[in-house]
Amino acid sequence: MTTADPTAAVLLAQGWLTVRGRIGEASNAVLYCTVVHEGREAACVYKPVAGERPLWDFPDGTLAGREVAAYLVSEATGWGLVPPTVLRDGPHGEGMCQLWIETAPDTELLALIDREEPGPGWKAIGFAEVGEGRTALLVHADDARLRRLAVLDAVINNADRKGGHLLPTRDGRLYGIDHGVTFNVEDKLRTLLWGWAGEPLTGEACEVLEALGKSLAEGGPLAASLAPLITPAEIDATRARVASLLASGTHPEPGGDWPAIPWPPV
């Protein structure tokens, strides 16, 4: 099954969910599953609400709801940057269910280089300590897919865009995952994708933001879809971020009240 398959969300929402194992050492429960519906089967990730660790700065709603909200905003952009994601009941109660993405591990999107400036095709993030008093320049690819993701992250106020959350595929697509800490009313943008900070938004991005603004308006389809998932104040804040991006016409720059880069970065 591909992420572009319009029935993927139906399979995820209505299929029989079977837990096959737990993924990694995440602070919240992340379960690898299979889902089967009407003879079709796919691998997926299931994150039950019951397995979420409470966060003082995200007290309203659930991380699972925010993950689904991020998917809906991604779909509204037309960029398809987040794998199909639904909120459903499962073996451990209600949770987020997201299509599993097979990655192309040989794709290089991030690098550490022993130079003061990035080379062609790369954008600087900042200097990082690499041990024994040495520093290296952390860079990300000057990639149109990453640039779109940087715009999406600014809209949803992503507080945790790490390198491990970037999933390139063999067919040339790029997906972002792990959107549980998003949509806060306060500015918490924390990301590795600062390479375009302060640069003008592309014409495509401005068109997408204009359409998002209309869909997020009172009574708009995206606003209605987000209402069961995040709070009214968070929807208002999302509208304000879209309006601010359009007013400035530029990619946001790091603020001084919140760490600009997540830790660990990968």
Side-chain angles (χ1 to χ4, degrees):
M1 167 168 290
T2 68
T3 56
D5 188 333
T7 65
V10 174
L11 173 62
L12 291 171
Q14 300 180 13
W16 183 263
L17 196 62
T18 302
V19 176
R20 302 298 183 184
R22 183 162 181 161
I23 299 174
E25 300 295 330
S27 55
N28 301 298
V30 183
L31 305 176
Y32 178 76
C33 302
T34 53
V35 61
V36 179
H37 180 63
E38 296 183 346
R40 306 172 71 207
E41 180 175 349
C44 60
V45 173
Y46 164 52
K47 298 182 182 180
V49 172
E52 294 179 1
R53 177 172 57 88
L55 299 174
W56 67 268
D57 51 346
F58 287 85
D60 299 313
T62 65
L63 305 187
R66 296 173 192 280
E67 294 243 30
V68 179
Y71 166 68
L72 294 177
V73 174
S74 168
E75 287 298 283
T77 66
W79 287 335
L81 295 169
V82 179
T85 312
V86 303
L87 196 64
R88 58 161 294 167
D89 194 27
H92 300 286
E94 184 179 64
M96 177 278 275
C97 188
Q98 184 176 81
L99 193 67
W100 179 264
I101 300 297
E102 293 292 343
T103 62
D106 54 343
T107 303
E108 191 173 28
L109 297 174
L110 298 165
L112 279 169
I113 59 174
D114 291 320
R115 295 165 55 180
E116 296 292 319
E117 298 290 338
W122 295 91
K123 305 289 283 187
I125 302 169
F127 288 94
E129 293 186 9
V130 293
E132 299 180 352
R134 294 176 56 247
T135 61
L137 183 63
L138 181 61
V139 297
H140 65 66
D142 187 1
D143 186 305
R145 301 169 301 171
L146 288 180
R147 192 166 190 173
R148 287 174 171 178
L149 193 57
V151 174
L152 176 66
D153 282 345
V155 170
I156 66 177
N157 198 16
N158 192 352
D160 195 32
R161 175 60 72 206
K162 296 177 180 177
H165 301 166
L166 305 173
L167 304 183
T169 65
R170 295 193 184 280
D171 64 359
R173 300 291 299 270
L174 176 72
Y175 297 97
I177 61 168
D178 285 349
H179 297 109
V181 286
T182 49
F183 296 101
N184 202 294
V185 296
E186 299 179 5
D187 180 16
K188 291 185 179 290
L189 183 59
R190 189 168 61 167
T191 175
L192 287 177
L193 304 180
W194 288 117
W196 299 280
E199 293 187 16
L201 294 165
T202 64
E204 177 197 47
C206 290
E207 291 178 5
V208 164
L209 290 168
E210 290 278 5
L212 277 182
K214 294 176 182 177
S215 193
L216 281 166
E218 292 284 352
L222 182 54
S225 297
L226 294 178
L229 301 168
I230 59 177
T231 69
E234 289 165 341
I235 295 175
D236 285 341
T238 304
R239 293 188 186 106
R241 288 191 295 271
V242 170
S244 178
L245 286 165
L246 284 168
S248 71
T250 61
H251 287 269
E253 298 184 75
D257 299 328
W258 185 254
I261 296 176
W263 188 262
V266 177

